[in-house]
Amino acid sequence: MATKYAALTKSIVELVGGKENIEALTHCITRLRFVLKDESKANTEALKKIDGVLQIIQSGGQYQVVVGSKVTALYEEICETYSISAESKPEKQNTPAQKNDNLVSRLMSTISGTLAPTLNVLIGAGIIKGFLSLFMALGWVSPESGLYMVLYAVGDGFFYFLPIILGFTAARKFGCSEFIGAAVGASLVYPSMVNLVSSSEVMGTILAGTPFAMDYYNTFLGIPIIMPGAGYTSSIIPIIVAVYLASRLEKGCKKILPEMVRSLLTPLFVLAITVPATYLVIGPVSQSICSIIFMLIQKIYSLGTIGGIIGGALIGGGFGVLVMFGLHWVVISLGISNMALAGFDYIMAAGGVGPMVGMAQGLCIVLRTKCKKIRDLALPSFISQVCGVGEPLMYSILIPLKKPYAINIIGGAIGGAILGALKCKIFVFGGSGLFGIANYADPSGDMTNLIISLVGTAIAMIAVFVIQWIAYDFRAEKEL
């Protein structure tokens, strides 16, 4: 029986080289993310011309087909029609698409492939957590109420146990047993380890007298166990590196161990080696790197108004560019890591301006254009932008018309500069667009950051609307 998207899915699969050329398939909010055996077999130019395909991006070993809000329906139909497993196969390390990738490209692919499958739920949980913080700050809900406790368990529980979830998705990415990945993540959020800092006395300090001094509260065979203040809850980088190690160990065990005991001893050896290595080496090193990055960001903002303006403008104006190249995952992971370390983040505070600027720009184009085709593209794109999904507007109108894309970057930079100058913070990574307003609500009840974000964002939106209205090029829209 033919379905709504039957013709579109057939065209996409045929033009990426057919089912036999698909090594793996996942998706995020707007993109079908293919790992192809040979990207040269894909007909990129033909794909770009298909009605329903917004853009093609080749990045980090992935062939990304941007299709907008219908991505989930297309993904499910491709998996069902062509018998492609909904659980992505492990990516090959020496495919033509990947063999020449540099370290940075592989890093982007790894972070994207690990975080992308969780994105919809991550955003949903973040929206719940953000609005609870907002309602508590406004006095609409008490933290002692059953309503607050249950919903906060939904919102905060996802982030608290994030290492378990990412352990599962990272295992898929590296071709490792998902349950080994989840088990490694579970060990990082085990209550007695998380509470080690608060329940134990300091046994000693390593690197004392340096900016990298770290206390330890227990030892493992005489080696100091160094723990962050909140443990590894909500952390990202440690679990990804740990599961990579586990994947290498698992492959080694399967080659070495006799078949009779392989299934039993493989997880035993992998966990027995990976978990201690994570607590003793991987965790402290990766958290130190995240701490250094956070200190650098703080250093920029400590330069005063000028530092905040520069940092905020770069993130606010550049975030849309990062999205275009699929590099925004690294920034998002840094933002979540910062919130896990300090309880707040400057990066995503400035980055959150972009979707709101796009919303103002989309509305302006709907009202300003005289072209039915542009209006038919802009209206649903504007609605997506309200929900924080910017790719439909970006790829269908802003980039093809060129000047609106430049205006979008300028607007994001204006808003980011204002938020940066006033050192605006974000306290949770949740929704985007209108749903992102609650991210700025301080759980302590202080409304300062929320007010700053509203004022700064409003200024940027008004500026973009006015600039776009004045600078709209009616001649350019005829070329779209």
Side-chain angles (χ1 to χ4, degrees):
M1 180 178 177
T3 61
K4 181 179 179 181
Y5 296 116
L8 180 56
T9 55
K10 180 181 179 182
S11 297
I12 290 173
V13 170
E14 287 179 352
L15 291 174
V16 298
K19 175 188 173 182
E20 61 278 2
N21 195 39
I22 300 174
E23 180 66 32
L25 174 62
T26 56
H27 74 93
C28 56
I29 291 181
T30 59
R31 308 179 188 192
L32 293 168
R33 295 171 174 265
F34 291 93
V35 176
L36 303 180
K37 296 177 182 177
D38 185 355
E39 286 191 7
S40 66
K41 293 183 179 180
N43 191 335
T44 301
E45 292 304 315
L47 270 168
K48 288 180 178 179
K49 295 177 182 178
I50 294 178
D51 186 21
V53 173
L54 301 176
Q55 185 59 277
I56 304 297
I57 300 171
Q58 294 171 261
S59 175
Q62 292 184 337
Y63 191 88
Q64 302 172 24
V65 182
V66 185
V67 293
S69 58
K70 55 184 173 289
V71 63
T72 302
L74 290 174
Y75 170 77
E76 291 175 351
E77 180 149 339
I78 290 174
C79 289
E80 181 178 350
T81 303
Y82 296 92
S83 301
I84 296 174
S85 173
E87 297 186 358
S88 177
K89 303 174 186 176
E91 294 181 20
K92 290 186 176 180
Q93 300 300 313
N94 296 311
T95 60
Q98 290 179 299
K99 63 182 180 182
N100 295 320
D101 284 349
N102 56 36
L103 179 61
V104 174
S105 180
R106 291 198 298 271
L107 175 64
M108 304 298 179
S109 175
T110 297
I111 294 176
S112 173
T114 301
L115 281 174
T118 73
L119 186 59
N120 290 332
V121 182
L122 186 148
I123 290 175
I127 289 173
I128 292 173
K129 188 175 179 181
F131 274 106
L132 279 177
S133 296
L134 176 61
F135 295 160
M136 188 174 68
L138 294 171
W140 294 354
V141 64
S142 167
E144 288 78 30
S145 68
L147 172 67
Y148 178 90
M149 293 175 66
V150 171
L151 291 181
Y152 194 77
V154 176
D156 193 56
F158 182 91
F159 290 92
Y160 188 95
F161 295 107
L162 189 59
I164 299 177
I165 298 166
L166 296 185
F168 194 90
T169 58
R172 283 186 180 177
K173 177 69 179 177
F174 296 127
C176 174
S177 165
E178 290 98 334
F179 296 103
I180 287 179
V184 175
S187 71
L188 293 183
V189 294
Y190 190 68
S192 63
M193 296 302 291
V194 172
N195 298 326
L196 188 62
V197 175
S198 60
S199 63
S200 306
E201 295 183 359
V202 176
M203 292 184 63
T205 304
I206 65 170
L207 301 177
T210 73
F212 306 104
M214 292 178 280
D215 296 332
Y216 62 91
Y217 301 83
N218 212 326
T219 61
F220 179 86
L221 300 178
I223 304 172
I225 300 175
I226 303 162
M227 291 286 292
Y232 292 104
T233 60
S234 302
S235 62
I236 293 177
I237 304 302
I239 184 62
I240 293 177
V241 179
V243 174
Y244 175 75
L245 171 62
S247 71
R248 307 307 297 175
L249 291 171
E250 184 186 46
K251 289 179 175 66
C253 287
K254 287 181 176 179
K255 289 180 180 179
I256 297 172
L257 294 175
E259 186 174 354
M260 183 179 299
V261 295
R262 186 181 300 158
S263 60
L264 174 64
L265 295 184
T266 294
L268 170 63
F269 290 145
V270 171
L271 292 174
I273 297 172
T274 302
V275 174
T278 303
Y279 272 114
L280 301 178
V281 181
I282 294 172
V285 171
S286 58
Q287 288 297 89
S288 295
I289 293 172
C290 291
S291 296
I292 291 170
I293 294 172
F294 183 71
M295 286 189 291
L296 289 174
I297 294 168
Q298 282 191 309
K299 185 67 176 177
I300 294 173
Y301 277 80
S302 70
L303 297 175
T305 303
I306 296 299
I309 289 174
I310 294 172
L314 287 174
I315 295 297
F319 198 78
V321 179
L322 294 176
V323 170
M324 183 172 67
F325 292 103
L327 304 179
H328 56 300
W329 287 107
V330 177
V331 178
I332 290 173
S333 67
L334 286 176
I336 295 175
S337 296
N338 289 341
M339 282 181 272
L341 286 168
F344 64 87
D345 173 54
Y346 294 118
I347 297 177
M348 292 306 297
V353 175
M356 300 295 285
V357 165
M359 187 167 66
Q361 195 170 15
L363 178 61
C364 178
I365 293 172
V366 170
L367 298 175
R368 185 65 163 150
T369 184
K370 297 177 181 178
C371 175
K372 184 179 183 300
K373 179 182 179 182
I374 295 289
R375 188 177 292 109
D376 288 345
L377 289 171
L379 185 57
S381 297
F382 163 72
I383 295 171
S384 294
Q385 198 77 54
V386 170
C387 299
V389 181
E391 282 98 334
L393 182 67
M394 179 185 297
Y395 291 123
S396 65
I397 296 177
L398 301 189
I399 293 177
L401 295 183
K402 300 179 180 64
K403 188 184 293 183
Y405 187 52
I407 293 172
N408 183 272
I409 293 173
I410 293 170
I414 292 172
I418 295 172
L419 269 58
L422 298 175
K423 296 180 173 59
C424 187
K425 302 171 184 174
I426 199 171
F427 298 91
V428 63
F429 177 73
S432 190
L434 285 182
F435 293 103
I437 294 173
N439 298 342
Y440 298 87
D442 190 336
S444 69
D446 185 355
M447 304 293 285
T448 304
N449 288 278
L450 180 61
I451 294 171
I452 291 172
S453 70
L454 291 174
V455 172
T457 301
I459 292 172
M461 291 176 70
I462 292 170
V464 163
F465 190 96
V466 172
I467 295 172
Q468 182 65 75
W469 188 276
I470 295 171
Y472 191 83
D473 190 344
F474 291 100
R475 293 170 298 178
E477 68 180 11
K478 296 177 182 179
E479 301 174 5
L480 188 64

